[in-house]
Amino acid sequence: MTTKNFALIGAAGYIAPRHMRAIKDLGHNLAVAYDINDSVGIIDSISPQSEFFTEFERFYDYAHRLKRNPATALDYVSICTPNYLHHPHITAGLRLGCDVICEKPLVPTPELLDDLALVERETGKRVYNILQLRHHDAILALRQKVAAAPADTKFDVELTYITSRGKWYLESWKGDPRKSFGVATNIGVHFYDMLHFVFGQLQDNVVHYSGETKAAGYLEYERARVRWFLSVDAHDLPDEVKGKKTTFRSIDIGGEQLEFSEGFTELHKVSYEEILAGRGYGLEDARHCIETVNVIRTAPVVAARDGMGHPMLGRLLA
């Protein structure tokens, strides 16, 4: 195996350690990391030899100089920065002569996705998106079940995801829709990708509620009718969960619960394995979920027709 050299942009974020560990566990080298925040002590336990910068100009100059020696030249740039910075950081990585691995959402709009495709062609390098639910055993099993069902079967799905966040959330970039692109994009984009991956092409996309901390709507796919609700408000947690857990995740399919709460921590490693083996998910794989969240973000809020509203909707509108 040839050891690959990586750079990491956004080293102080929540998800960055999963990228660091994936790089290390697969036997590769995190050569340099960057973040405007210097709270990156986690590097000591994963990759203490890595160079680190808090100024992008110094990081970029150092990364560019590594190209002079084939032994040190970067192969990949991994990006874990706030959503609104993904596009400029991806293009910077491509122009360094590297393939890029980026967290979702890649970009907020299909137009910016097209621009990334243009920079791919200009540089001859590729962009890969972390779409880790596509590697989850329970999701893969569900996909097989749907594929094996009669072709005219449409599954009734109820998706509920509540992940409690404190008051800090709305003060951070995540609470600014100009930077996070809204709660449905920030915490929901991987679910929309999963729904497309399992149930096929999207046929209808309706928004029933949209607020700072929660959103709800209806999606119809080739093989499913989906009522969805997403929230970062702890008050939305079911009574049986309050005081015990801060997160509630439920995907009900025709009255049966899809159990996929375990196995998340290893999925970044699997994603990296697939990318390094040439089987990673690229720009066109991400297009469907980007188009979905772009519509959700810009669509008018409408009243739910009979049977199309999520059960939480009544409580929100009461």
Side-chain angles (χ1 to χ4, degrees):
M1 181 190 76
T2 303
T3 300
K4 301 296 184 181
N5 292 318
F6 283 78
L8 177 64
I9 300 177
Y14 160 78
I15 206 68
R18 294 191 190 179
H19 289 256
M20 295 180 196
R21 291 190 181 101
I23 293 165
K24 178 184 178 181
D25 291 348
L26 292 173
H28 299 290
N29 174 45
L30 178 58
V32 56
Y34 157 74
D35 202 293
I36 60 171
N37 191 320
D38 61 8
S39 298
V40 291
I42 188 69
I43 293 177
D44 288 343
S45 63
I46 302 174
S47 185
Q49 82 289 346
S50 303
E51 295 291 338
F52 175 71
F53 298 94
T54 57
E55 295 164 315
F56 188 79
E57 294 83 358
R58 294 180 63 222
F59 158 80
Y60 194 87
D61 180 66
Y62 178 83
H64 200 273
R65 283 188 280 119
L66 291 177
K67 294 170 63 176
R68 294 171 181 164
N69 183 344
T72 61
L74 294 173
D75 299 291
Y76 291 90
V77 174
S78 298
I79 296 172
C80 306
T81 48
N83 299 349
Y84 74 108
L85 293 174
H86 287 178
H87 180 270
H89 286 155
I90 290 169
T91 57
L94 292 172
R95 288 171 179 139
L96 278 170
C98 302
D99 290 328
V100 174
I101 301 170
C102 186
E103 276 293 337
K104 60 207 151 307
L106 276 180
V107 286
T109 67
E111 290 77 17
L112 282 175
L113 196 70
D114 293 338
D115 185 72
L116 291 182
L118 176 62
V119 183
E120 276 192 333
R121 292 194 295 272
E122 290 171 345
T123 60
K125 295 299 178 178
R126 287 203 61 192
V127 180
Y128 297 97
N129 201 188
I130 296 290
L131 300 173
Q132 73 267 37
L133 287 185
R134 295 191 182 203
H135 300 301
H136 197 292
D137 288 343
I139 302 301
L140 291 170
L142 174 62
R143 191 173 191 237
Q144 290 179 337
K145 176 182 176 180
V146 171
D152 60 349
T153 304
K154 269 210 178 182
F155 295 83
D156 288 304
V157 180
E158 189 177 290
L159 166 65
T160 309
Y161 181 51
I162 304 164
T163 178
S164 307
R165 296 291 185 265
K167 294 179 180 179
W168 68 269
Y169 185 91
L170 292 179
E171 293 297 319
S172 75
W173 67 266
K174 296 182 179 184
D176 184 344
R178 297 169 301 175
K179 296 180 177 181
S180 70
F181 313 124
V183 68
T185 300
N186 194 47
I187 70 169
V189 67
H190 56 300
F191 288 117
Y192 303 128
D193 176 70
M194 179 270 290
L195 290 168
H196 159 59
F197 181 65
V198 172
F199 298 111
Q201 293 300 311
L202 184 62
Q203 298 174 331
D204 197 13
N205 186 349
V206 181
V207 178
H208 296 145
Y209 185 90
S210 182
E212 276 189 325
T213 60
K214 63 200 77 176
Y218 174 82
L219 297 161
E220 186 159 344
Y221 294 86
E222 291 174 281
R223 305 297 303 275
R225 293 176 288 265
V226 183
R227 299 179 296 169
W228 61 269
F229 174 74
L230 305 171
S231 173
V232 294
D233 186 347
H235 293 98
D236 293 323
L237 289 168
D239 292 338
E240 65 270 20
V241 171
K242 286 180 180 176
K244 300 174 185 176
K245 296 181 180 180
T246 59
T247 297
F248 177 77
R249 182 190 294 110
S250 170
I251 298 181
D252 182 288
I253 304 168
E256 294 184 13
Q257 280 289 319
L258 173 66
E259 177 49 53
F260 70 120
S261 56
E262 302 299 325
F264 274 88
T265 55
E266 287 298 305
L267 294 181
H268 275 73
K269 180 180 177 181
V270 175
S271 297
Y272 268 72
E273 284 179 313
E274 292 297 297
I275 290 167
L276 289 162
R279 298 186 296 265
Y281 292 115
L283 296 182
E284 288 309 308
D285 297 297
R287 185 174 294 277
H288 197 282
C289 64
I290 289 172
E291 290 175 342
T292 302
V293 294
N294 186 53
V295 171
I296 289 171
R297 201 167 48 247
T298 57
V301 174
V302 300
R305 299 201 305 268
D306 289 345
M308 290 174 58
H310 190 281
M312 288 292 294
L313 199 58
R315 203 165 99 182
L316 294 178
L317 302 176

Short mmCIF file of all heavy atoms in Angstrom, two decimals, residues 3-57:
data_model
loop_
_atom_site.label_atom_id
_atom_site.label_comp_id
_atom_site.label_asym_id
_atom_site.label_seq_id
_atom_site.Cartn_x
_atom_site.Cartn_y
_atom_site.Cartn_z
N THR A 3 1.46 4.98 0.97
CA THR A 3 0.96 5.93 1.96
C THR A 3 0.60 7.24 1.28
O THR A 3 1.39 7.79 0.50
CB THR A 3 2.02 6.18 3.04
OG1 THR A 3 2.33 4.95 3.69
CG2 THR A 3 1.52 7.20 4.07
N LYS A 4 -0.59 7.74 1.57
CA LYS A 4 -1.07 9.00 1.00
C LYS A 4 -0.90 10.13 2.01
O LYS A 4 -1.04 9.93 3.23
CB LYS A 4 -2.54 8.88 0.60
CG LYS A 4 -2.83 7.79 -0.43
CD LYS A 4 -2.15 8.06 -1.76
CE LYS A 4 -2.53 7.01 -2.79
NZ LYS A 4 -1.85 7.25 -4.09
N ASN A 5 -0.62 11.31 1.51
CA ASN A 5 -0.48 12.50 2.34
C ASN A 5 -1.77 13.32 2.30
O ASN A 5 -2.28 13.63 1.23
CB ASN A 5 0.69 13.36 1.86
CG ASN A 5 2.03 12.68 2.08
OD1 ASN A 5 2.25 12.07 3.13
ND2 ASN A 5 2.92 12.77 1.12
N PHE A 6 -2.25 13.68 3.49
CA PHE A 6 -3.50 14.41 3.63
C PHE A 6 -3.27 15.76 4.29
O PHE A 6 -2.39 15.93 5.14
CB PHE A 6 -4.47 13.64 4.52
CG PHE A 6 -5.15 12.47 3.86
CD1 PHE A 6 -4.48 11.27 3.67
CD2 PHE A 6 -6.47 12.57 3.42
CE1 PHE A 6 -5.10 10.19 3.07
CE2 PHE A 6 -7.09 11.50 2.82
CZ PHE A 6 -6.41 10.30 2.64
N ALA A 7 -4.12 16.72 3.91
CA ALA A 7 -4.30 17.96 4.67
C ALA A 7 -5.73 17.97 5.18
O ALA A 7 -6.63 17.39 4.56
CB ALA A 7 -4.05 19.17 3.79
N LEU A 8 -5.94 18.62 6.31
CA LEU A 8 -7.28 18.73 6.89
C LEU A 8 -7.60 20.19 7.15
O LEU A 8 -6.86 20.88 7.87
CB LEU A 8 -7.36 17.93 8.20
CG LEU A 8 -8.68 18.00 8.96
CD1 LEU A 8 -9.81 17.37 8.14
CD2 LEU A 8 -8.57 17.30 10.31
N ILE A 9 -8.69 20.66 6.56
CA ILE A 9 -9.15 22.03 6.78
C ILE A 9 -10.39 21.96 7.67
O ILE A 9 -11.38 21.33 7.34
CB ILE A 9 -9.51 22.71 5.44
CG1 ILE A 9 -8.29 22.76 4.52
CG2 ILE A 9 -10.04 24.12 5.67
CD1 ILE A 9 -8.57 23.36 3.15
N GLY A 10 -10.31 22.62 8.84
CA GLY A 10 -11.41 22.57 9.81
C GLY A 10 -11.13 21.58 10.92
O GLY A 10 -11.98 20.78 11.30
N ALA A 11 -9.91 21.65 11.48
CA ALA A 11 -9.45 20.64 12.43
C ALA A 11 -10.08 20.75 13.81
O ALA A 11 -10.00 19.81 14.60
CB ALA A 11 -7.93 20.71 12.56
N ALA A 12 -10.72 21.88 14.13
CA ALA A 12 -11.27 22.06 15.47
C ALA A 12 -12.75 21.70 15.56
O ALA A 12 -13.34 21.81 16.63
CB ALA A 12 -11.08 23.51 15.92
N GLY A 13 -13.34 21.28 14.46
CA GLY A 13 -14.77 20.98 14.45
C GLY A 13 -15.11 19.65 15.08
O GLY A 13 -14.25 18.80 15.32
N TYR A 14 -16.41 19.45 15.30
CA TYR A 14 -16.92 18.23 15.94
C TYR A 14 -16.57 16.98 15.15
O TYR A 14 -16.22 15.94 15.72
CB TYR A 14 -18.45 18.36 16.08
CG TYR A 14 -19.17 17.05 16.26
CD1 TYR A 14 -19.18 16.41 17.49
CD2 TYR A 14 -19.84 16.45 15.19
CE1 TYR A 14 -19.85 15.19 17.66
CE2 TYR A 14 -20.50 15.25 15.35
CZ TYR A 14 -20.51 14.62 16.59
OH TYR A 14 -21.15 13.42 16.74
N ILE A 15 -16.65 17.05 13.84
CA ILE A 15 -16.51 15.86 13.01
C ILE A 15 -15.06 15.58 12.62
O ILE A 15 -14.73 14.47 12.18
CB ILE A 15 -17.40 15.97 11.75
CG1 ILE A 15 -17.79 14.59 11.21
CG2 ILE A 15 -16.72 16.82 10.68
CD1 ILE A 15 -18.72 13.81 12.12
N ALA A 16 -14.17 16.55 12.80
CA ALA A 16 -12.79 16.41 12.34
C ALA A 16 -12.07 15.19 12.91
O ALA A 16 -11.33 14.52 12.18
CB ALA A 16 -12.01 17.69 12.64
N PRO A 17 -12.23 14.86 14.21
CA PRO A 17 -11.52 13.68 14.72
C PRO A 17 -11.86 12.39 13.99
O PRO A 17 -11.00 11.50 13.89
CB PRO A 17 -11.96 13.62 16.20
CG PRO A 17 -12.27 15.04 16.55
CD PRO A 17 -12.89 15.61 15.30
N ARG A 18 -13.07 12.26 13.46
CA ARG A 18 -13.39 11.05 12.70
C ARG A 18 -12.57 10.96 11.42
O ARG A 18 -12.17 9.88 10.99
CB ARG A 18 -14.89 11.00 12.39
CG ARG A 18 -15.76 10.85 13.63
CD ARG A 18 -17.19 10.55 13.29
NE ARG A 18 -18.04 10.66 14.46
CZ ARG A 18 -19.36 10.46 14.46
NH1 ARG A 18 -19.97 10.14 13.33
NH2 ARG A 18 -20.07 10.58 15.57
N HIS A 19 -12.32 12.11 10.82
CA HIS A 19 -11.47 12.14 9.63
C HIS A 19 -10.02 11.83 10.00
O HIS A 19 -9.34 11.06 9.31
CB HIS A 19 -11.56 13.50 8.95
CG HIS A 19 -12.87 13.76 8.27
ND1 HIS A 19 -13.04 13.70 6.91
CD2 HIS A 19 -14.10 14.07 8.78
CE1 HIS A 19 -14.30 13.95 6.61
NE2 HIS A 19 -14.96 14.19 7.73
N MET A 20 -9.55 12.44 11.09
CA MET A 20 -8.18 12.19 11.53
C MET A 20 -7.95 10.71 11.81
O MET A 20 -6.93 10.13 11.41
CB MET A 20 -7.88 13.00 12.80
CG MET A 20 -7.88 14.50 12.64
SD MET A 20 -7.51 15.30 14.24
CE MET A 20 -8.06 16.97 13.92
N ARG A 21 -8.91 10.10 12.50
CA ARG A 21 -8.77 8.68 12.86
C ARG A 21 -8.85 7.79 11.63
O ARG A 21 -8.12 6.78 11.53
CB ARG A 21 -9.83 8.27 13.89
CG ARG A 21 -9.61 8.92 15.25
CD ARG A 21 -10.51 8.32 16.32
NE ARG A 21 -10.29 8.98 17.60
CZ ARG A 21 -11.07 9.92 18.12
NH1 ARG A 21 -12.15 10.31 17.45
NH2 ARG A 21 -10.79 10.46 19.27
N ALA A 22 -9.71 8.13 10.69
CA ALA A 22 -9.81 7.34 9.47
C ALA A 22 -8.48 7.37 8.71
O ALA A 22 -8.01 6.33 8.22
CB ALA A 22 -10.94 7.87 8.58
N ILE A 23 -7.88 8.54 8.61
CA ILE A 23 -6.59 8.68 7.93
C ILE A 23 -5.53 7.83 8.64
O ILE A 23 -4.78 7.06 8.00
CB ILE A 23 -6.16 10.16 7.87
CG1 ILE A 23 -7.12 10.95 6.97
CG2 ILE A 23 -4.72 10.30 7.39
CD1 ILE A 23 -7.01 12.46 7.12
N LYS A 24 -5.47 7.93 9.97
CA LYS A 24 -4.47 7.18 10.74
C LYS A 24 -4.73 5.68 10.68
O LYS A 24 -3.81 4.88 10.42
CB LYS A 24 -4.47 7.66 12.19
CG LYS A 24 -3.49 6.89 13.07
CD LYS A 24 -3.56 7.31 14.53
CE LYS A 24 -2.60 6.49 15.38
NZ LYS A 24 -2.68 6.87 16.81
N ASP A 25 -5.98 5.28 10.91
CA ASP A 25 -6.30 3.85 10.99
C ASP A 25 -6.06 3.12 9.67
O ASP A 25 -5.81 1.91 9.66
CB ASP A 25 -7.75 3.65 11.44
CG ASP A 25 -7.98 4.04 12.89
OD1 ASP A 25 -6.98 4.25 13.59
OD2 ASP A 25 -9.16 4.15 13.29
N LEU A 26 -6.13 3.86 8.56
CA LEU A 26 -5.90 3.26 7.26
C LEU A 26 -4.44 3.35 6.83
O LEU A 26 -4.09 2.97 5.71
CB LEU A 26 -6.80 3.91 6.22
CG LEU A 26 -8.30 3.63 6.40
CD1 LEU A 26 -9.13 4.46 5.43
CD2 LEU A 26 -8.60 2.14 6.24
N GLY A 27 -3.59 3.84 7.75
CA GLY A 27 -2.16 3.84 7.50
C GLY A 27 -1.63 5.00 6.68
O GLY A 27 -0.54 4.90 6.10
N HIS A 28 -2.35 6.10 6.67
CA HIS A 28 -1.93 7.25 5.87
C HIS A 28 -1.45 8.39 6.78
O HIS A 28 -1.47 8.28 8.00
CB HIS A 28 -3.06 7.69 4.95
CG HIS A 28 -3.45 6.60 3.99
ND1 HIS A 28 -2.63 6.19 2.96
CD2 HIS A 28 -4.55 5.79 3.95
CE1 HIS A 28 -3.21 5.20 2.30
NE2 HIS A 28 -4.38 4.94 2.88
N ASN A 29 -1.00 9.48 6.18
CA ASN A 29 -0.30 10.53 6.90
C ASN A 29 -1.06 11.85 6.84
O ASN A 29 -1.30 12.38 5.76
CB ASN A 29 1.09 10.72 6.28
CG ASN A 29 1.84 11.90 6.88
OD1 ASN A 29 1.86 12.08 8.09
ND2 ASN A 29 2.47 12.71 6.03
N LEU A 30 -1.44 12.37 8.01
CA LEU A 30 -2.00 13.71 8.08
C LEU A 30 -0.83 14.68 8.18
O LEU A 30 -0.26 14.88 9.25
CB LEU A 30 -2.94 13.86 9.28
CG LEU A 30 -3.55 15.26 9.47
CD1 LEU A 30 -4.35 15.68 8.25
CD2 LEU A 30 -4.43 15.29 10.72
N ALA A 31 -0.46 15.27 7.06
CA ALA A 31 0.74 16.10 7.00
C ALA A 31 0.53 17.47 7.63
O ALA A 31 1.44 18.02 8.27
CB ALA A 31 1.20 16.25 5.55
N VAL A 32 -0.67 18.05 7.42
CA VAL A 32 -0.90 19.42 7.87
C VAL A 32 -2.39 19.64 8.11
O VAL A 32 -3.22 19.08 7.41
CB VAL A 32 -0.35 20.43 6.82
CG1 VAL A 32 -0.96 20.20 5.45
CG2 VAL A 32 -0.56 21.87 7.27
N ALA A 33 -2.68 20.45 9.11
CA ALA A 33 -4.07 20.77 9.44
C ALA A 33 -4.19 22.28 9.63
O ALA A 33 -3.22 22.97 9.95
CB ALA A 33 -4.51 20.04 10.70
N TYR A 34 -5.43 22.75 9.44
CA TYR A 34 -5.69 24.19 9.56
C TYR A 34 -7.04 24.41 10.22
O TYR A 34 -8.01 23.69 9.97
CB TYR A 34 -5.69 24.84 8.18
CG TYR A 34 -6.47 26.14 8.14
CD1 TYR A 34 -5.97 27.31 8.71
CD2 TYR A 34 -7.74 26.20 7.55
CE1 TYR A 34 -6.70 28.49 8.70
CE2 TYR A 34 -8.47 27.38 7.53
CZ TYR A 34 -7.94 28.52 8.10
OH TYR A 34 -8.68 29.68 8.09
N ASP A 35 -7.10 25.42 11.08
CA ASP A 35 -8.36 25.92 11.61
C ASP A 35 -8.11 27.30 12.21
O ASP A 35 -7.02 27.54 12.75
CB ASP A 35 -8.93 24.99 12.70
CG ASP A 35 -10.43 25.17 12.88
OD1 ASP A 35 -10.85 26.25 13.35
OD2 ASP A 35 -11.19 24.25 12.55
N ILE A 36 -9.09 28.20 12.11
CA ILE A 36 -8.92 29.51 12.74
C ILE A 36 -8.95 29.39 14.26
O ILE A 36 -8.44 30.25 14.97
CB ILE A 36 -9.99 30.52 12.27
CG1 ILE A 36 -11.40 30.02 12.61
CG2 ILE A 36 -9.86 30.81 10.79
CD1 ILE A 36 -12.49 31.06 12.37
N ASN A 37 -9.53 28.31 14.76
CA ASN A 37 -9.59 28.03 16.20
C ASN A 37 -8.43 27.11 16.56
O ASN A 37 -8.18 26.12 15.87
CB ASN A 37 -10.93 27.37 16.51
CG ASN A 37 -11.21 27.28 18.00
OD1 ASN A 37 -10.32 27.00 18.79
ND2 ASN A 37 -12.46 27.49 18.37
N ASP A 38 -7.73 27.42 17.65
CA ASP A 38 -6.59 26.59 18.02
C ASP A 38 -6.92 25.52 19.07
O ASP A 38 -6.02 24.90 19.65
CB ASP A 38 -5.42 27.45 18.50
CG ASP A 38 -5.76 28.27 19.75
OD1 ASP A 38 -6.84 28.07 20.33
OD2 ASP A 38 -4.92 29.12 20.13
N SER A 39 -8.21 25.25 19.29
CA SER A 39 -8.61 24.20 20.23
C SER A 39 -8.56 22.84 19.53
O SER A 39 -9.60 22.23 19.24
CB SER A 39 -10.02 24.48 20.78
OG SER A 39 -10.05 25.69 21.49
N VAL A 40 -7.35 22.40 19.24
CA VAL A 40 -7.17 21.18 18.44
C VAL A 40 -6.26 20.19 19.16
O VAL A 40 -5.54 19.43 18.52
CB VAL A 40 -6.59 21.52 17.05
CG1 VAL A 40 -7.62 22.26 16.21
CG2 VAL A 40 -5.31 22.34 17.18
N GLY A 41 -6.33 20.17 20.48
CA GLY A 41 -5.49 19.25 21.25
C GLY A 41 -5.72 17.79 20.90
O GLY A 41 -4.85 16.94 21.16
N ILE A 42 -6.87 17.47 20.30
CA ILE A 42 -7.17 16.10 19.89
C ILE A 42 -6.09 15.57 18.95
O ILE A 42 -5.84 14.35 18.89
CB ILE A 42 -8.56 16.04 19.22
CG1 ILE A 42 -8.98 14.59 18.96
CG2 ILE A 42 -8.59 16.84 17.92
CD1 ILE A 42 -9.30 13.81 20.19
N ILE A 43 -5.41 16.47 18.23
CA ILE A 43 -4.36 16.04 17.30
C ILE A 43 -3.26 15.28 18.04
O ILE A 43 -2.68 14.34 17.49
CB ILE A 43 -3.77 17.25 16.55
CG1 ILE A 43 -4.82 17.86 15.62
CG2 ILE A 43 -2.53 16.86 15.75
CD1 ILE A 43 -4.34 19.11 14.89
N ASP A 44 -3.01 15.64 19.29
CA ASP A 44 -1.94 14.99 20.05
C ASP A 44 -2.15 13.49 20.19
O ASP A 44 -1.19 12.72 20.25
CB ASP A 44 -1.81 15.61 21.45
CG ASP A 44 -1.22 17.01 21.41
OD1 ASP A 44 -0.63 17.36 20.38
OD2 ASP A 44 -1.35 17.74 22.41
N SER A 45 -3.39 13.07 20.29
CA SER A 45 -3.67 11.65 20.50
C SER A 45 -3.86 10.88 19.20
O SER A 45 -4.00 9.65 19.22
CB SER A 45 -4.93 11.48 21.37
OG SER A 45 -6.07 12.04 20.71
N ILE A 46 -3.87 11.61 18.07
CA ILE A 46 -4.11 10.95 16.78
C ILE A 46 -2.94 11.14 15.82
O ILE A 46 -2.45 10.19 15.23
CB ILE A 46 -5.41 11.47 16.13
CG1 ILE A 46 -6.60 11.24 17.06
CG2 ILE A 46 -5.65 10.77 14.78
CD1 ILE A 46 -7.90 11.85 16.58
N SER A 47 -2.51 12.38 15.67
CA SER A 47 -1.48 12.68 14.67
C SER A 47 -0.58 13.82 15.14
O SER A 47 -0.58 14.90 14.55
CB SER A 47 -2.17 13.04 13.34
OG SER A 47 -1.23 13.22 12.31
N PRO A 48 0.19 13.59 16.22
CA PRO A 48 0.95 14.69 16.82
C PRO A 48 2.03 15.28 15.93
O PRO A 48 2.50 16.39 16.18
CB PRO A 48 1.56 14.04 18.08
CG PRO A 48 1.60 12.58 17.76
CD PRO A 48 0.38 12.32 16.92
N GLN A 49 2.44 14.55 14.88
CA GLN A 49 3.51 15.06 14.01
C GLN A 49 3.01 16.06 12.99
O GLN A 49 3.82 16.69 12.28
CB GLN A 49 4.18 13.89 13.28
CG GLN A 49 3.46 13.38 12.03
CD GLN A 49 2.15 12.63 12.31
OE1 GLN A 49 1.88 12.26 13.45
NE2 GLN A 49 1.35 12.42 11.27
N SER A 50 1.69 16.25 12.89
CA SER A 50 1.12 17.11 11.85
C SER A 50 1.47 18.58 12.07
O SER A 50 1.44 19.08 13.20
CB SER A 50 -0.41 16.97 11.82
OG SER A 50 -0.78 15.63 11.62
N GLU A 51 1.78 19.26 10.98
CA GLU A 51 1.91 20.71 11.05
C GLU A 51 0.51 21.31 11.26
O GLU A 51 -0.49 20.72 10.84
CB GLU A 51 2.51 21.26 9.75
CG GLU A 51 3.93 20.81 9.48
CD GLU A 51 4.94 21.42 10.44
OE1 GLU A 51 4.64 22.48 11.04
OE2 GLU A 51 6.03 20.85 10.59
N PHE A 52 0.47 22.48 11.89
CA PHE A 52 -0.84 23.11 12.15
C PHE A 52 -0.72 24.62 11.99
O PHE A 52 0.24 25.23 12.44
CB PHE A 52 -1.34 22.77 13.55
CG PHE A 52 -2.62 23.48 13.91
CD1 PHE A 52 -3.82 23.10 13.30
CD2 PHE A 52 -2.63 24.54 14.81
CE1 PHE A 52 -5.00 23.77 13.60
CE2 PHE A 52 -3.80 25.20 15.10
CZ PHE A 52 -4.99 24.81 14.50
N PHE A 53 -1.74 25.19 11.34
CA PHE A 53 -1.79 26.64 11.12
C PHE A 53 -3.16 27.18 11.48
O PHE A 53 -4.17 26.49 11.32
CB PHE A 53 -1.49 26.97 9.66
CG PHE A 53 -0.12 26.57 9.20
CD1 PHE A 53 0.08 25.34 8.58
CD2 PHE A 53 0.97 27.39 9.42
CE1 PHE A 53 1.34 24.95 8.16
CE2 PHE A 53 2.24 27.02 9.00
CZ PHE A 53 2.43 25.79 8.38
N THR A 54 -3.19 28.44 11.96
CA THR A 54 -4.46 29.11 12.24
C THR A 54 -4.74 30.23 11.24
O THR A 54 -5.74 30.94 11.37
CB THR A 54 -4.46 29.72 13.66
OG1 THR A 54 -3.36 30.62 13.77
CG2 THR A 54 -4.36 28.63 14.72
N GLU A 55 -3.87 30.39 10.26
CA GLU A 55 -4.07 31.38 9.20
C GLU A 55 -4.07 30.65 7.86
O GLU A 55 -3.12 29.91 7.55
CB GLU A 55 -2.97 32.44 9.22
CG GLU A 55 -3.01 33.28 10.49
CD GLU A 55 -1.71 34.04 10.70
OE1 GLU A 55 -0.63 33.46 10.55
OE2 GLU A 55 -1.81 35.25 11.02
N PHE A 56 -5.11 30.87 7.07
CA PHE A 56 -5.25 30.10 5.83
C PHE A 56 -4.11 30.38 4.86
O PHE A 56 -3.64 29.47 4.16
CB PHE A 56 -6.60 30.42 5.15
CG PHE A 56 -6.87 29.52 3.98
CD1 PHE A 56 -7.34 28.23 4.16
CD2 PHE A 56 -6.64 29.96 2.68
CE1 PHE A 56 -7.57 27.40 3.09
CE2 PHE A 56 -6.87 29.14 1.59
CZ PHE A 56 -7.35 27.85 1.80
N GLU A 57 -3.65 31.63 4.82
CA GLU A 57 -2.57 31.97 3.89
C GLU A 57 -1.30 31.18 4.18
O GLU A 57 -0.62 30.70 3.25
CB GLU A 57 -2.27 33.48 3.96
CG GLU A 57 -3.41 34.37 3.47
CD GLU A 57 -4.47 34.61 4.55
OE1 GLU A 57 -4.34 34.05 5.67
OE2 GLU A 57 -5.41 35.36 4.27
#
